[in-house]
Amino acid sequence: MARGNIVHDAEYYLVEAQNEEAWAAEDQDIDARLAALREKHGTPPNIIHIMWDDTAFGDIGIDALAAIRGFDTPNLHRMRDEGIMFTRMYTEPACTPSRAAVITGRHPTRFGMGSVDWPLIFGGISGEEVTTANVLSDAGYATAFYSKWHLGDIPESYPHNQGFDEALFLPYNQVGSVWNVQGDLLNVAPGSAHTRRDNATEIDEHGLRGDGFVMTIDGKKDEFTREWGKPDPESYMAVDFESEKRLIEFVTRNAQEKKPFFASYWPNLLSFIAPPQPPKTLHAAGIAEALHRLDGFIGQLMDHLTELGIAENTLIVCMADNGPMIHNPPGYIGWAETIFRGGKGDFLEGGVRVPGFAWWPGTIAPGQIVNDIIHETDLFTTFARLGGALGNVPTDRVIDGVDQTPLLLNGDGHGRRDWVFIYTGDDLGATVKGRYKRHWIHEGPDTGTAAAFFDLITDPRESSPKLVPLIWQSGQWDRMLKRHLIWMDKYPNRPKARGIPFTGIDNARPETKAIAERLEDMRGRVPFDPLEFVEFELPEKYKVSLKVEGVD
């Protein structure tokens, strides 16, 4: 295995130095095993990544807790029994940052994607970023993306312009499901569909409403970019079903062609105005019902891989993108805290520690509970190694993800990180090191050393900060932070890409074309350039983010 000149965050090098000889020997063994697998199957392993929204740790994977909560996901529990359940799978605390992190292997604050964006974004992930799809495509993989992208509404941000061969995707999140007449009239998104009386200041509303927004895009690399369906509830509800159909077809086609493939399926999962259906779970509310349906597809996919004879050459990783939406949620979805305190938007464990599973029959030993830390950025580097593509990973920037192939193949105790930096937006909220955690944003007095130290084993809900018992750690935490910030100065953060939304769509509606036309029209009618805001980065203090009551 050649890690080459990949640049990791500073903390990695200290952990590597402590384990250098053991890791070198282990890597030789792993290289031999991966080579033997490639010779046996004729290709490097296929990789499927499935990531859904806003799920508390324990709602899936812990039988007793799932029973208490009324969740029913037998196929994910089968994945747990036949593979790995991670107990310390860390993510970013919200949708856009989490997706940006997992697809690039980098903390999103490094490239302007640290906050959740809403229609219209006028920007997104930069074409300068390198995704898993880029890395694996260059190694001969077929690549596909399906459903909730949420990484931008300008052409360079679209997944089929970010390395994926084909994509059916939403540039935004689930909010698009209610920006229509139904959402307007139901007061879920009042005023979003022009059903209210005429407004004398309508010219100003062009900047406040997503008029002409495109909910779903169908694209193929270097071929086409088209609007798929309409921005209405019916099209929204059809996206996941169409994505699952396409994923099965993609898997089948490449299996028949004996071509390795990488697919990301990040389902919409939920609609805030979904038509009522008879409940299939004891929980009966939105999140459990949606996960029950997704679980059925995951079981279908696992069986299909077996029928095609490629299950033993396919890794599936399934996980949530962040914790439950417990702050100001719609009441009928049914989110709740479980073991950990906090949820979506928080740097507490409940916001960033999620259910996660890995399945690779014959390679990953069954029935494993893995307690080592793994961060979602690690999937980028791990998938690159499995695909024989580490040489395609860029070396001019920090890659936060570390190679966790040893953890997958050898199990608990073989992880290669014992730390996590947890951002909320572009603010560093906390740092984890082993069983301990340090809050950088904290409550209470601060006389130079704050009561912001936690033992996650004895206090998993981070409710009892330790000052005197853990004050001996203060210097270590400060040094970790200094190294992290010094390294960030050495490799400076970059801005997100900016531009006009939905340009370059082959079948764009007049309303979509009017987004750019309206702005051009206003140029001669106001005493400033209405396009100036496109390049202006909003100061962090004005950005809307979810915070922990009593903590920030």
Side-chain angles (χ1 to χ4, degrees), residues 166-244:
E166 56 187 80
L168 180 72
F169 69 98
L170 278 75
Y172 304 128
N173 60 8
Q174 290 84 348
V175 166
S177 70
V178 299
W179 283 34
N180 45 56
V181 172
Q182 293 91 330
D184 193 340
L185 294 177
L186 288 169
N187 276 328
V188 180
S192 63
H194 300 272
T195 62
R196 315 292 152 147
R197 65 180 178 82
D198 290 342
N199 190 331
T201 59
E202 186 173 359
I203 189 172
D204 189 48
E205 291 190 0
H206 292 319
L208 298 176
R209 281 201 304 246
D211 297 346
F213 89 98
V214 175
M215 185 168 65
T216 309
I217 297 175
D218 188 6
K220 280 197 173 182
K221 186 190 295 182
D222 301 325
E223 291 189 32
F224 63 79
T225 302
R226 301 172 186 151
E227 182 173 21
W228 185 90
K230 300 176 181 179
D232 59 28
E234 291 75 23
S235 293
Y236 176 87
M237 294 300 295
V239 172
D240 281 356
F241 292 101
E242 178 68 16
S243 295
E244 290 165 5

Side-chain angles (χ1 to χ4, degrees), residues 292-361:
H292 178 77
R293 197 204 70 77
L294 175 61
D295 181 82
F297 171 72
I298 290 172
Q300 175 191 346
L301 177 62
M302 294 165 73
D303 291 342
H304 188 61
L305 293 168
T306 302
E307 291 164 4
L308 290 171
I310 60 171
E312 291 192 354
N313 197 37
T314 303
L315 167 66
I316 303 180
V317 175
C318 292
M319 58 185 289
D321 65 347
N322 46 251
M325 186 177 180
I326 60 169
H327 305 286
N328 307 304
Y332 48 85
I333 302 298
W335 285 298
E337 289 182 351
T338 54
I339 298 170
F340 304 119
R341 185 163 68 99
K344 186 185 184 103
D346 296 335
F347 57 81
L348 297 173
E349 297 291 285
V352 295
R353 198 162 159 181
V354 301
F357 309 89
W359 182 81
W360 187 356

